[in-house]
Amino acid sequence: MDSSAIRDAFFSFFEGRGHVRLPSAPLVLKDDPSVLFTSAGMQPLVPYFTGRKQPPAKRIVTVQKVLRTSDIDEVGHDGYHQTFWEMLGNFSIGDYWKSESLQWSWELLTGPFGFDGDRLVATVHTSDDEAYDIWTRQIKLPPHRVFRLGDAANFWTPGPTGLCGPDSEIFIDTGPQPGVPPHACDPSESCGRYVEIWNNVFQQYDRQADGRLVPLSKKNIDTGAGLERITQVLEGVPGDTFRTDLFRPIVEKIEQLAHVAYGGGEADRSIRIVAEHSRAATFLIADGIDPSNEGRGYVLRRLIRRAALHARKLGLQTGSIPQLGLVSVRVMQGHYHELATHRERIVQTLENEEHKFEQTLSSGLDQLNGAIGAARSAGRGGIDGDTAFRLYDTFGFPVEMTRELAGAAGLRVDEGRYRDLLEEQRARSRASAKFSQDAMRFGQFYEHLREREGVRSVFTGYDELGSEGTILWLASTGTSVEEAREGSEVEIVLDRTPFYAEGGGQVGDRGHITTSEGRAMVADTQTPAPDVTVMIGTVVDGVLRVGARAHAEVDAALRRATMRNHTGTHLLHAALRRVLGEEVHQAGSLVHAPNLRFDFTLGRAPTRDELRRVEDEVNAAILANADVHADLVPLQDALASGAQHLFDEKYGAEVRVVQAGPTSRELCGGTHCRATGDVGLLLITKEESVGAGIRRIEAVTGEGALADVRALRERMERAAQTLRVPPERLPEAVEQLAQQRQRVEKELDAARRAGMDTSAVRLVAKAETVDGTRLVVADVGDADAEHLRALSDKVRDQLGSGVVVLGGIRGERAALAVGVTKDLTPRVNADAIVKQVAPIIGGSGGGRPQSATGGGREIARLAEALDAARGIVRDHFDGGRGSA
């Protein structure tokens, strides 16, 4: 079976057993900002497991894209480590339990997948008699092939608290290993005998902060199997994913471009890295990630640059990584349509990043050469671990390359410190990959409340801003309480509430809740479980009690401002599609009282004229004062009517459609104005790119727009008063002021040049002589790199034949400038000197052979850098050794 047949067989098997197939979620989960990437098949389903969202079915089956960053450095060393792969998973949300889960896993493996049942073994938790009996009595697996192991091997938990439980794993037994007694290892040990292919997790506990395991009222099943691992076995290439059909076309392309063969050679490690990282990068780009220096973008940049570095080791030219990205698109687009949709963006991003890496690689070599020069000049015997890690982390230099180049210069590398820094980075990566435990516990708490106590909230806020209700529940720090007194933070659930809970881009309402005994200020409103609205705030007076009658009042000014911005967002979306074309789709939004933010898809920056037309169309719709109303309609009817919607959002059978005038029709659960005229005025305040193919507009409406206009008018009036002109003549006055400034700057520049001539004469008079060559090395005090360059050039030109090295400090930054007369550049050049000494002040530099500059923030080491430069020049002229 190839990978496509495996996917199809997996879906068919579980759909035949009542499971609903869901498409793979993106690698970035909008519902869980606590993690960088989707790192497990069950992660997109966490809101269903915790009760924060209603699942589309109790039985679900997926093939999920996942990416984990903790093993980036392991990729390439063997045939099975990867950052990106596909996870097969079947899930039960409070439905079937261990018997069905284990029985179906066994039936699929030994049936459609064709595994030899005599070569499979299972593990269970030492305390899980139920799972052990299922394996030995129902499935009839011999007891000696069922291993009972402890928590480390067979108890799954995402962190110190949260949903957890024992698990049961299935392994292939490859037989006794050379040098290992037949019965001397079990699947929990790394003896090479057992290959894991399936894991069944039994979510039956909620681990508390004190370590207690509280049984769940609704138990869940979460299973996972790596597609790549199963494909290895079924295609007959166990242990080497890169020989499967998932990677073969990519590897073959690398072989073709590099004129090398994969299999048993020195090039294998680089081939694996280039193939794996280029594929992973392709999927990240398709899911909207752009290379950057932080967060998800940094991971993408690191993958591309590590691939490009090893591509160079294979002899591949610039442009090879985009070609491999296209191969990944061709191989995988049948299963992941987003790859074909974003083909151009994938190629362009890979091309741009590979080109940038060429420049970075050159800079990295300069940094390393500078560190080597500085170490030798200072008499140190090696490169420190911080430098080695920075070269790796910033420039993509493997420590092996740093070791090799430093060793050629007779220097060692502090790899102990390097490994410590690397482990710190990995620890941060592992920590960022954990699920959001607070969110999970919050949802689970209220899901239990909803199921056990029948608590429900009726939302009245579409029609009123204040309503009467009864306090059904109070909670503090995740624990239910009967009363909450003044000063305590509290979560409040009412049977009826006008407070809108955060959702659909609109923030939760704020306001107050009053009873006959107390009052609470509400700072936020959330929906942690279906039909349960939680108002989060502080008791500011008296006491609140469960069962008390309460009046809930939304902050009317904030709600009205939010409604204006929300209706304005709908009008803006419609205008963008009319002006810029139907390729525009919503990619995210934020609606709150101060302003609105709208993200949309567009492969270019809109022009100033287009933005003006969009703004004009929105305000024309506002002036039309058309009716805004909402209707509940069947989902299919709403979609057939052309209503705009989020493509990655999951909707119920019946949806709320908001019509704002004749041109705007969207699926939306938020609160809106009664008529478009209520928006007042919409002004676009900012437009920018927030990612490849994604633009962002910020705008204000109503009172916010009025405040923006007034602030602009006041600034103009102040400027006009300062320049003593009428406001209508302000542009001409500013232009005249700019011209005057240019004249003054020219005069100042002339004065600086005159002073520089004097300084140059003084410096030349203090020149040393080294083997007949004149040398000037000096700290000139307050100066930046531009000033130093000009001064060093003047000194160089007056030396006749010689070298000048100047240093200075401006603010928190040290600067260097080096000048070398033309006759001496065959022996020593300015660019090389700066690149060797700039790292001493914690920076970098460069330039031409006759003139170069550098800078850094370690101002206390400027004198050391100047001394090192003096030593470098002396080494080259005191006896005439070598060249820089």
Side-chain angles (χ1 to χ4, degrees), residues 796 803 818-822 824-826 828-833 846-852:
R796 178 199 63 203
V803 178
V818 180
V820 179
T821 56
K822 188 174 182 179
L824 299 179
T825 53
V828 61
N829 76 69
D831 177 68
I833 294 173
R848 304 184 311 277
Q850 288 181 261
S851 179

Side-chain angles (χ1 to χ4, degrees), residues 119 172-177 192-194:
R119 295 184 59 203
I172 299 173
D173 183 355
T174 63
Q177 302 299 294
R193 175 169 180 167
Y194 301 99

Side-chain angles (χ1 to χ4, degrees), residues 488-503:
S488 61
E489 295 183 356
V490 65
E491 298 162 12
I492 307 166
V493 179
L494 302 175
D495 62 340
R496 291 168 47 82
T497 177
F499 283 77
Y500 178 83
E502 180 178 344

Side-chain angles (χ1 to χ4, degrees), residues 27 74 102 142 246 451 536 585 612 669 760:
L27 287 170
E74 301 302 321
L102 296 178
L246 292 164
E451 292 295 322
I536 305 165
H585 293 287
R612 178 65 60 84

Side-chain angles (χ1 to χ4, degrees), residues 130 139 168 359 375 448 536 611 668:
E130 182 181 2
I139 300 176
S168 178
Q359 300 171 324
H448 287 177
I536 305 165
L611 289 176
C668 180

Side-chain angles (χ1 to χ4, degrees), residues 508-555:
D509 275 334
R510 301 164 70 177
H512 62 268
I513 295 173
T514 306
T515 72
S516 61
E517 295 182 280
R519 184 166 179 265
M521 296 300 297
V522 176
D524 191 17
T525 307
Q526 297 288 327
T527 305
D531 303 321
V532 179
T533 300
V534 178
M535 288 141 287
I536 305 165
T538 303
V539 180
V540 295
D541 184 34
V543 60
L544 299 187
R545 303 182 195 275
V546 173
R549 293 291 294 169
H551 177 75
E553 189 76 27
V554 172
D555 186 316

